[in-house]
Amino acid sequence: MFMLAPETAHEVAVHAMAAGRLTGLSRLIAGPRPRFPVELMGLQFPNPVGLAAGFDKNGDSIDALGALGFGHIELGTVTPKPQPGNPRPRLFRLPEFEAIVNRMGFNNKGVDHLVQRLQNARYDGILGANIGRQKDTPTDQAAGDYLVCLEKVYAWCDYVAVNISSPNTPNLRELQDTGPLKELLDELVAARSRLESEHAMYRPIVLKIAPDWDEAALTASLEVIGASGLDGLIATNTTLDRSPVAGHRHAAEAGGLSGRPLMTLSTQVLQRARNVLGKNFPIIASGGVHSGADAAAKQAAGANLVQLYTGFIYEGPELIRACTRNWSASRQHAAA
Ligand SMILES: Cc1cc2nc3c(=O)[nH]c(=O)nc-3n(C[C@H](O)[C@H](O)[C@H](O)COP(=O)(O)O)c2cc1C
């Protein structure tokens, strides 16, 4: 796969899985799903290791990915309407660093397509739906896009992740500033209450934040999140920082950097989030997990669950097992 252009390799893998051809093979490669149950946000996660958003944006490979052993899979990011994303090339590998730079730009088939996929999924782990805003929706109207998506996915997933931290949708990160953030979270929490009574079911909503902050702004936004009534946090998305890969031929490509070089920065943000939000607030770690030891480091910094993306590309599905193995029962109980 590494001999193909990065995005082509990704498409081949996802399409083959979507066709079901790899489902049986996946199970053979991965063996039974590693078991280490974690209860969080009222949900029973079969193990603490999930697939981060962006790998299966449209929900086309849910069952095949599930067969690899993930305890949860986060689909999306989806937007209200389909959109093509940025022109190619928009995905770059930095194998010397086990990293990726991407500027995909929320290419996706739209929320209705994802809902249909969720309705047909047989995977028995936890399914998250990650939602975003359309590229050309201005910040002051962004809430409308999130609400459209929230209403559509609500009954068909186990939790909803609100993505305000992609660096590849112009001005999206403005929603992380305390003013717009508070307005957005108030609307989401109100919608969650309305949908809870309409559907007679509760769906937790988590917020996915960036790793790129100055400390005062991060603390201020975390305080807004903590007071909002939201159910959890994902820390973090990709970074704009290129210092860890300086000099690489792809270092200057626009987009978000993920993989090994993101580990330190995203773990610092996770730790800060744990300190500000207190010991009981659900936090899912994402960013730079390439080994069981990395997963344990995320747990030590305060994570309740961990997600993989770039590490899964470089290390393969065995990483799910390694991370589950290193997840510590004692810390799990200490955090509970
Ligand atoms: C190619 C690519 C596409 C991504 N697309 C999304 C996305 O649509 N939504 C999202 O919330 N995060 C997206 N991400 C970010 C990942 O979910 C993850 O948070 C980030 O890559 C850090 O984790 P990692 O170092 O394990 O890759 C994407 C990452 C990559 C590499």
Side-chain angles (χ1 to χ4, degrees):
M1 283 299 208
F2 270 74
M3 293 168 72
L4 299 172
E7 193 168 344
T8 312
H10 182 88
E11 284 168 349
V12 168
V14 174
H15 284 140
M17 286 182 160
R21 270 174 267 149
L22 286 182
T23 311
L25 188 60
S26 308
R27 210 168 274 121
L28 268 180
I29 296 168
R33 180 163 63 207
R35 277 199 60 75
F36 194 117
V38 176
E39 192 189 331
L40 194 70
M41 305 186 292
L43 301 170
Q44 304 290 336
F45 291 77
N47 67 46
V49 186
L51 179 63
F55 190 91
D56 187 3
K57 288 177 188 276
N58 300 303
D60 288 335
S61 310
I62 299 174
D63 294 333
L65 288 165
L68 293 175
F70 288 109
H72 71 280
I73 300 175
E74 195 171 303
L75 293 323
T77 300
V78 289
T79 51
K81 286 175 285 173
Q83 62 177 28
N86 289 321
R88 299 184 194 204
R90 53 192 180 178
L91 179 62
F92 305 88
R93 288 198 204 105
L94 295 70
E96 300 84 346
F97 292 99
E98 294 196 15
I100 289 176
V101 170
N102 94 84
R103 53 168 177 271
M104 305 297 285
F106 290 172
N107 55 306
N108 78 101
K109 297 177 183 169
V111 66
D112 293 330
H113 176 94
L114 175 62
V115 167
Q116 195 223 321
R117 296 302 193 191
L118 289 167
Q119 287 168 346
N120 294 332
R122 283 177 310 207
Y123 170 65
D124 63 354
I126 298 293
L127 286 175
N130 181 307
I131 60 175
R133 76 147 163 84
Q134 223 74 49
K135 181 182 178 185
D136 47 12
T137 302
T139 301
D140 62 356
Q141 292 165 33
D145 282 10
Y146 289 100
L147 292 175
V148 166
C149 292
L150 174 66
E151 285 180 16
K152 291 194 173 187
V153 299
Y154 191 87
W156 301 106
C157 61
D158 297 300
Y159 73 90
V160 180
V162 173
N163 183 2
I164 54 169
S165 51
S166 166
N168 303 314
T169 291
N171 307 323
L172 185 71
R173 289 183 173 187
E174 284 175 7
L175 290 169
Q176 297 187 134
D177 299 343
T178 51
L181 180 63
K182 186 173 179 335
E183 279 176 34
L184 174 64
L185 298 187
D186 285 350
E187 293 216 43
L188 290 168
V189 167
R192 189 193 56 199
S193 298
R194 183 169 47 75
L195 290 163
E196 182 187 7
S197 15
E198 256 172 47
H199 293 278
M201 51 168 84
Y202 186 84
R203 293 290 182 252
I205 303 180
V206 306
L207 188 74
K208 185 164 178 180
I209 61 167
D212 306 310
W213 297 85
D214 72 57
E215 199 164 325
L218 174 60
T219 304
S221 291
L222 286 169
E223 280 166 357
V224 170
I225 293 164
S228 67
L230 214 71
D231 301 278
L233 187 76
I234 303 177
T236 67
N237 214 312
T238 56
T239 181
L240 292 168
D241 185 15
R242 291 296 191 275
S243 50
V245 296
H248 190 279
R249 69 195 165 97
H250 291 318
E253 293 290 350
L257 174 71
S258 61
R260 263 194 205 283
L262 177 58
M263 175 71 189
T264 305
L265 180 62
S266 70
T267 307
Q268 282 165 354
V269 171
L270 161 68
Q271 196 139 34
R272 184 85 199 124
R274 176 53 74 212
N275 289 343
V276 174
L277 295 169
K279 70 176 170 43
N280 294 323
F281 196 88
I283 305 183
I284 303 171
S286 161
V289 175
H290 286 239
S291 68
D294 292 339
K298 294 287 190 189
Q299 191 184 21
N304 300 106
L305 298 168
V306 73
Q307 293 185 337
L308 312 176
Y309 192 127
T310 309
F312 174 61
I313 308 260
Y314 281 100
E315 318 296 337
E318 174 53 29
L319 182 57
I320 304 168
R321 200 165 305 278
C323 291
T324 306
R325 241 190 336 258
N326 276 41
W327 204 254
S328 146
S330 55
R331 262 194 226 108
Q332 189 62 42
H333 293 136

